Amino acid sequence: MSGNTDKHIMRRALKLALKGRGHVSPNPRVGAVITAPDGTIIGEGCHTHFGGLHAEAAALKACDGKDTRGATIYVNLEPCCFQGKTPPCTTAIIKSGIRRVVAAVPDPDPRVNGRGFAALREAGVRVEVGVLADEARHLNRGYFSARERGRAWCAVKVALSLDGKMAALDGESKWITGPEARKLTHALRADHDAVMVGAGTVRHDNPQLTVRSVRGPSPARIILAPHFGIPPDSKLAESAAQIRTILVTTETADPPGADDKTIELLRMKENKFGMIDPEELLSRLVDFGIQSLLIEGGSRVLSSFMQADLIDEISVGYAPSVIGQGISPFEDFNPVSWSGRPRFRIARIKHYGEDVVITYNRVT
């Protein structure tokens, strides 16, 4: 098939993979499409929940008796080659008579990492890798970050006035951007394993941190509170039995809410400044099954992660208003040097009503 055809069908596989959002982690999001030798789609599927069928097996099952000999399977991640909760996908592909595998990227899992492709090639299956690789890596950016860097992917979302303020001096900040841009916040939450704010944001804004304006699962909620807890009458505490809620505090603190059995505790050592080390936190979150984190505030939390140069992506909603004297999102950030300051490049620009949302990716 032509390169354009391969890209078109791979985009279908990526779209299918999104159906697993919020349900498959810490497994990757994977979609698969099978085409007959004449290019007709005869089966497709995705990994829908942790422990369930892998995308390749689901696509083969969807073929429902159709002849798969000589077929091509498109998949956004290298097929697995080991026995886990389900049998190896490479074995199923080989037995099906599929003769061509088009994959976006290798699987960084050390149990796979090229071995899946090798097993297929050894069985005489033609393997092509690299179709829409960047899109595939972004789809599973948390999965790749956890396996390649040993830490969760770290994204930030802020709403700013034209003069770069996220709140007035008294802390008032509600609805800087309009309803269209606020829907993006909910979409971002649904796309990450967890959303995090500081204790000050909980006390001042009393947020829910749930997904409401779009379809999708609510992520785990994390409160970074080295010396504070969660007010028992807060929306987070009241809904902790329904939505996973994690309180990050120090090893010696005895914060309010620490004895609440519906709230998970992640205790960490204080650094030399009496705070939680951001890099260690991102590493520890992987052990909690959290591979992608969205930080929504406040300024001290955002500044600490920027200071540690750990922010991978920033989505900024700019509203056509001016606050004047107010609070900047990185108020406490102090770069080590001008040349060593964190750098970002524009990845996407989109209008939402009267607002503009720009997404920036970290320059590595």
Side-chain angles (χ1 to χ4, degrees):
M1 290 191 182
S2 70
N4 286 336
T5 299
D6 285 347
K7 288 180 180 178
H8 175 73
I9 300 176
M10 185 62 76
R11 286 194 179 93
R12 175 61 185 167
L14 289 167
K15 186 176 180 180
L16 287 166
L18 273 175
K19 293 184 177 182
R21 183 177 62 182
H23 304 292
V24 301
S25 189
N27 281 354
R29 306 163 180 174
V30 184
V33 179
I34 299 174
T35 61
D38 65 357
T40 304
I41 293 177
I42 57 176
E44 59 183 28
C46 64
H47 186 37
T48 60
H49 62 280
F50 184 74
L53 284 179
H54 284 191
E56 299 92 328
L60 284 168
K61 184 177 180 181
C63 288
D64 194 25
K66 297 184 180 73
D67 189 359
T68 55
R69 290 174 297 176
T72 296
I73 185 168
Y74 294 81
V75 61
N76 59 288
L77 191 70
E78 178 180 6
C80 69
C81 54
F82 63 92
Q83 176 68 49
K85 292 181 179 296
T86 59
C89 290
T90 51
T91 301
I93 291 171
I94 293 166
K95 286 183 176 179
S96 73
I98 286 174
R99 303 309 299 165
R100 179 173 177 248
V101 172
V102 179
V105 287
D107 187 340
D109 187 322
R111 296 170 295 180
V112 188
N113 200 16
R115 293 182 178 87
F117 294 145
L120 292 166
R121 290 186 174 115
E122 187 177 343
V125 179
R126 180 181 169 191
V127 177
E128 299 174 25
V129 186
V131 178
L132 301 185
D134 290 344
E135 291 91 331
R137 283 187 64 91
H138 186 265
L139 175 74
N140 280 309
R141 53 201 181 278
Y143 179 77
F144 280 93
S145 180
R147 277 152 186 78
E148 294 176 348
R149 303 185 296 181
R151 71 164 177 85
W153 172 271
C154 182
V156 162
K157 188 283 303 179
V158 291
L160 300 180
S161 60
L162 290 179
D163 53 340
K165 301 301 191 299
M166 62 185 292
L169 282 178
D170 62 2
E172 184 176 356
S173 63
K174 199 165 188 178
W175 311 146
I176 291 179
T177 51
E180 294 92 344
R182 292 200 295 274
K183 282 187 178 181
L184 176 64
T185 297
H186 292 263
L188 287 171
R189 289 175 184 172
D191 199 37
H192 289 78
D193 291 336
V195 57
M196 184 173 76
V197 296
T201 298
V202 176
R203 292 194 302 273
H204 188 274
D205 296 339
N206 194 20
Q208 298 181 64
L209 303 181
T210 55
V211 173
R212 301 183 299 280
S213 299
V214 300
R215 293 182 63 184
S218 290
R221 291 94 53 92
I222 300 176
I223 301 90
L224 183 57
H227 308 292
F228 302 98
I230 306 175
D233 58 348
S234 67
K235 293 176 181 177
L236 292 177
E238 290 175 347
S239 61
Q242 290 76 44
I243 303 173
R244 188 182 186 192
T245 304
I246 302 171
L247 173 62
V248 181
T249 187
T250 64
E251 292 181 337
T252 57
D254 186 22
D259 57 349
D260 187 334
K261 301 302 181 184
T262 65
I263 298 175
E264 295 180 51
L265 276 183
L266 172 53
R267 291 192 177 275
M268 298 181 60
K269 293 180 180 178
E270 300 178 30
N271 61 18
K272 61 182 179 181
F273 303 108
M275 305 298 289
I276 299 298
D277 181 77
E279 187 167 10
E280 184 183 353
L281 174 57
L282 291 180
S283 298
R284 291 284 301 277
L285 288 180
V286 173
D287 297 331
F288 274 63
I290 293 170
Q291 298 179 147
S292 60
L293 174 69
L294 176 66
I295 304 176
E296 294 194 23
S299 177
R300 291 186 67 185
V301 175
L302 294 170
S303 296
S304 67
F305 278 78
M306 184 64 78
Q307 192 75 44
D309 196 16
L310 293 170
I311 298 174
D312 298 303
E313 183 177 272
I314 305 177
S315 294
V316 184
Y318 294 99
S321 61
V322 176
I323 291 178
Q325 291 186 344
I327 301 171
S328 300
F330 304 105
E331 191 88 13
D332 299 319
F333 170 58
N334 183 24
V336 176
S337 65
W338 176 259
S339 62
R341 70 195 189 281
R343 301 289 299 277
F344 295 82
R345 65 166 60 93
I346 295 175
R348 294 178 297 281
I349 302 176
K350 191 169 181 179
H351 287 266
Y352 292 85
E354 295 183 344
D355 308 316
V356 176
V357 177
I358 303 180
T359 301
Y360 303 86
N361 287 340
R362 180 172 175 265
V363 177
T364 55

